[in-house]
Amino acid sequence: MASDLRLFLLLLLLTVSTAFSTNPEGEALHALRSRIKDPKNVLQSWDPTLVNPCTWFHVTCDDHNRVIRLDLGNSNISGPLGPELGRLEHLQYLYFSFCRHLSFVLVENLMIDGFVLIRELYRNNFEGKIPKELGNLKNLISMDLYGNRLEGEIPKSLGNLKSLRFLRLNNNHLTGSIPRELASLSNLRVFDVSNNDLCGTIPIDGPFPTFPYQSYENNNRLTGPELQGLVSYDNGC
C-alpha cells in the first residue's frame, strides 16, 4: 500500500512539473514582462508556471497553441524594446497603442491580398536600438517604427523578412548606412528612412530604384545612388 502511494505521488509530481513548464513562447513573454513596468498590473495573469501562455489575458493563440497576437493597448506599460519578441516566430499581430513611454512595436491589423498585414503604430516614445531579433519574425508584412526616438543602425537581420512589404523607420535618430541586405526584399513596396542621420549611399539593387527621393530626404550624410565599383556604399560613414 505504501509503495503504491509513493508511486502515485511520484507520478503526480512529474505531471505537475510538466504542467508548470512553459513553452519557449511563454518563457519569452515572461522575460518580456520582467523587463517592463506595469503600473496597472495588466499582466498579472502572465503566470510562468502554466503549460503555455494561451490562457493569459492579452495573448491570443492559434489552434496549435502558438502565440499569434499580443494586445496591450492603453496599458500604460513602459520599458525598452527588448529582444524577446523575436522569439515569437508565429506572431502575426502586435497591438500596444497608447502605451505611454512604451518601447515596443505598436500594430493594428489589416489584410492585403489575403496576407496578414502588421502595421505598427507610430509617434510614441520608443527608444534604444532596433533589436536584431526582429529579423526572426518571418511572418511580418509591415513594420512601422517611425516618429520615435530609436537610435543606432538599421539591423542587417531585417533582410530576412522576405514577406515584408512596408518598412517605415523615418523620423528617428538612426545612424549608419542602409544595409544592403534589404535589397533582397523583393516584396518591399514602401521604404522610408527620411529624417534620420544615415550615411553612405542609396542602394540601386532590388526594389530600391522604385522608391522616391522623399524616402531618403533629410539625412545630411546620405548621398545619391550607389556607384558600384566607384564609391563604397558606406562612403562618408
Side-chain angles (χ1 to χ4, degrees):
M1 183 69 177
S3 60
D4 291 340
L5 179 60
R6 286 195 296 268
L7 179 59
F8 171 76
L9 292 176
L10 178 60
L11 292 175
L12 179 62
L13 179 61
L14 290 175
T15 302
V16 171
S17 298
T18 301
F20 280 12
S21 298
T22 60
N23 64 7
E25 293 182 324
E27 293 172 354
L29 289 174
H30 187 254
L32 181 64
R33 180 189 179 188
S34 67
R35 71 161 57 239
I36 63 179
K37 296 179 180 179
D38 179 20
K40 293 184 178 180
N41 205 26
V42 298
L43 304 180
Q44 61 180 340
S45 67
W46 288 26
D47 184 353
T49 64
L50 298 181
V51 66
N52 62 54
C54 298
T55 59
W56 299 357
F57 290 154
H58 314 291
V59 175
T60 303
C61 296
D62 62 13
D63 293 337
H64 302 287
N65 292 327
R66 300 177 302 195
V67 176
I68 59 172
R69 177 176 177 137
L70 294 179
D71 190 340
L72 294 174
N74 300 301
S75 301
N76 199 34
I77 56 181
S78 62
L81 183 62
E84 294 84 6
L85 291 178
R87 294 159 58 186
L88 304 176
E89 60 181 18
H90 303 287
L91 193 64
Q92 297 176 337
Y93 303 89
L94 283 172
Y95 189 72
F96 290 175
S97 65
F98 302 107
C99 295
R100 183 167 159 263
H101 300 301
L102 178 64
S103 301
F104 283 106
V105 184
L106 309 184
V107 307
E108 59 187 358
N109 310 325
L110 296 172
M111 295 291 293
I112 289 184
D113 298 337
F115 288 91
V116 175
L117 171 63
I118 303 176
R119 180 178 177 86
E120 286 98 319
L121 302 182
Y122 50 92
R123 293 176 185 165
N124 286 279
N125 289 308
F126 306 164
E127 57 190 17
K129 297 182 178 181
I130 301 174
K132 65 181 185 300
E133 289 82 3
L134 293 184
N136 298 331
L137 301 178
K138 303 297 178 61
N139 293 319
L140 277 181
I141 291 178
S142 178
M143 180 181 294
D144 286 354
L145 294 175
Y146 61 93
N148 289 286
R149 296 184 296 174
L150 297 171
E151 59 186 17
E153 298 184 354
I154 300 172
K156 296 179 180 180
S157 62
L158 298 187
N160 297 329
L161 304 178
K162 304 305 181 184
S163 297
L164 198 64
R165 299 188 181 187
F166 304 89
L167 179 56
R168 300 181 182 94
L169 304 175
N170 51 292
N171 295 86
N172 281 289
H173 305 296
L174 299 173
T175 56
S177 60
I178 299 174
R180 266 35 188 184
E181 287 77 5
L182 300 184
S184 67
L185 300 180
S186 58
N187 291 314
L188 197 61
R189 297 178 180 176
V190 175
F191 178 77
D192 193 344
V193 291
S194 59
N195 299 298
N196 280 287
D197 189 25
L198 299 177
C199 58
T201 57
I202 298 172
I204 60 173
D205 296 325
F208 281 92
T210 66
F211 304 139
Y213 170 77
Q214 289 76 11
S215 297
Y216 312 100
E217 62 183 0
N218 294 326
N219 285 280
N220 294 331
R221 297 189 296 148
L222 189 65
T223 58
E226 179 181 356
L227 300 175
Q228 291 182 334
L230 298 177
V231 178
S232 173
Y233 76 88
D234 57 357
N235 180 57
C237 291

